[in-house]
Amino acid sequence: SILILLLLPTCNVENDRRNHIETLEFQKETWYTDALDYWSNKPATINGVLGGYGKVDKIDTEGSRLFISEYIYGKKGARNRKLTLPRITEEYACDCGAGIGRVTKNFLSRLFKKVDLVEYTPKFIERAEKEFLKKEKEEGKIGEFICKGLQEFIPEERKYDLIWCQWVIGHLKDDDLIEFFKRCKIGLKPNGLIGVKENVCVFGYQFDETDSSVTRSDEIFKDIFQKSGLKLIKEATQHGMPKQLYEVKMYALECADDLDQEELMPNE
């Protein structure tokens, strides 16, 4: 009984805190422009886009590759026995919150034939196009460089096998994030997937005024996925990150039912 008495007030306080952030912080008129101002003042380098943690690049991109590869190549067991068939093709991916193209260069372009980049900060996307991804662009592995915030981005219908969102959706308000995911569903090919890789906190929201972002709990993410009409089919923790950082989780998401994409199929 003592444990219950201690826990109940904590839950009420957390609910109040969550409501406070949703009604006050997310209503700031400068929410998105503050984020743009913050990143516009950061160097267009790997260390800059990773907030000074450039050393995690290799382990991060390798973790992402291992997480998603089973959906491209299938999953194999003992004696190379095939356990699952490939789900998506290697044709086209979209890198949301692409920065200077770090994730595209070291992860997505190594698995997919072509990648589009979506990035809100002009100097980052310019660096990606003119320098960082120059080789990949010349090889025809890059599609479009799209300078736009995810709150405004509308994917082309049925274009992508994978839409990958990493360390970026913390800049979206809850309502805008749900609408973004709904638009992404329309941008997926049949059987296409949305990948999310983000920091997660233990509970509720952790708001950061310095870059106008919020870290959400695993519980809140899953609630948002459900409200967006997405079904979680795989999740994993990224290991090897610095201990002072929030836990980093990866989620693979599909449309919650076939109706979403069946409606896009052309009439026979």
Side-chain angles (χ1 to χ4, degrees), residues 71-72 85-92 112 156-163 183-194 233 253-266 268:
Y71 298 112
I72 303 173
L85 295 173
R87 174 184 173 123
I88 59 177
T89 73
E90 306 166 58
E91 293 300 318
Y92 221 130
F112 293 90
E156 184 180 326
E157 289 187 7
R158 294 166 56 88
K159 185 176 185 179
Y160 301 113
D161 296 287
L162 175 70
I163 297 176
R183 295 193 300 272
C184 284
K185 290 193 299 179
I186 298 174
L188 294 175
K189 296 179 183 179
N191 295 321
L193 298 173
I194 297 172
I233 60 172
L253 304 152
E254 66 177 4
C255 294
D257 53 60
D258 294 332
L259 181 62
D260 294 297
Q261 292 195 345
E262 283 178 357
E263 292 175 345
L264 298 173
M265 296 291 286
E268 296 294 339

Side-chain angles (χ1 to χ4, degrees), residues 70-239:
E70 69 173 273
Y71 298 112
I72 303 173
Y73 307 117
K75 196 173 183 179
K76 295 181 179 179
R79 298 180 180 178
N80 215 31
R81 184 169 61 92
K82 189 167 288 187
L83 301 177
T84 62
L85 295 173
R87 174 184 173 123
I88 59 177
T89 73
E90 306 166 58
E91 293 300 318
Y92 221 130
C94 183
D95 182 0
C96 290
I100 63 170
R102 178 189 71 88
V103 168
T104 291
K105 189 179 190 72
N106 298 328
F107 163 40
L108 294 174
S109 68
R110 298 185 180 186
L111 298 182
F112 293 90
K113 294 178 182 178
K114 188 160 285 191
V115 184
D116 286 347
L117 289 82
V118 184
E119 169 55 42
Y120 195 27
T121 309
K123 76 174 186 181
F124 287 170
I125 202 79
E126 183 179 358
R127 170 80 196 284
E129 182 172 6
K130 294 183 177 179
E131 297 178 51
F132 198 71
L133 294 176
K134 184 179 179 180
K135 178 175 177 289
E136 287 79 5
K137 182 182 177 183
E138 291 172 349
E139 294 172 345
K141 303 200 73 174
I142 306 299
E144 297 182 78
F145 293 90
I146 303 167
C147 188
K148 189 170 288 187
L150 299 189
Q151 71 277 12
E152 300 173 339
F153 174 55
I154 303 175
E156 184 180 326
E157 289 187 7
R158 294 166 56 88
K159 185 176 185 179
Y160 301 113
D161 296 287
L162 175 70
I163 297 176
W164 185 259
C165 313
Q166 178 166 349
W167 288 329
V168 64
I169 59 178
H171 288 299
L172 290 183
K173 303 174 184 180
D174 279 3
D175 289 345
D176 289 338
L177 179 54
I178 291 169
E179 291 305 311
F180 165 71
F181 281 142
K182 288 180 178 179
R183 295 193 300 272
C184 284
K185 290 193 299 179
I186 298 174
L188 294 175
K189 296 179 183 179
N191 295 321
L193 298 173
I194 297 172
V196 171
K197 188 168 188 177
E198 288 290 336
N199 297 87
V200 297
C201 53
V202 177
F203 54 81
Y205 297 87
Q206 296 293 326
F207 180 73
D208 188 345
E209 292 185 359
T210 60
D211 63 357
S212 191
S213 71
V214 65
T215 302
R216 298 173 170 94
S217 68
D218 177 72
E219 180 183 7
I220 289 174
F221 270 126
K222 289 174 179 175
D223 180 56
I224 287 174
F225 298 154
Q226 185 177 30
K227 289 177 178 177
S228 305
L230 295 171
K231 179 182 177 183
L232 178 63
I233 60 172
K234 181 180 179 181
E235 62 182 292
T237 299
Q238 172 68 62
H239 297 292

Side-chain angles (χ1 to χ4, degrees), residues 60-77:
D60 162 59
T61 51
E62 177 64 10
S64 300
R65 185 191 67 79
L66 291 172
F67 178 76
I68 213 71
S69 61
E70 69 173 273
Y71 298 112
I72 303 173
Y73 307 117
K75 196 173 183 179
K76 295 181 179 179

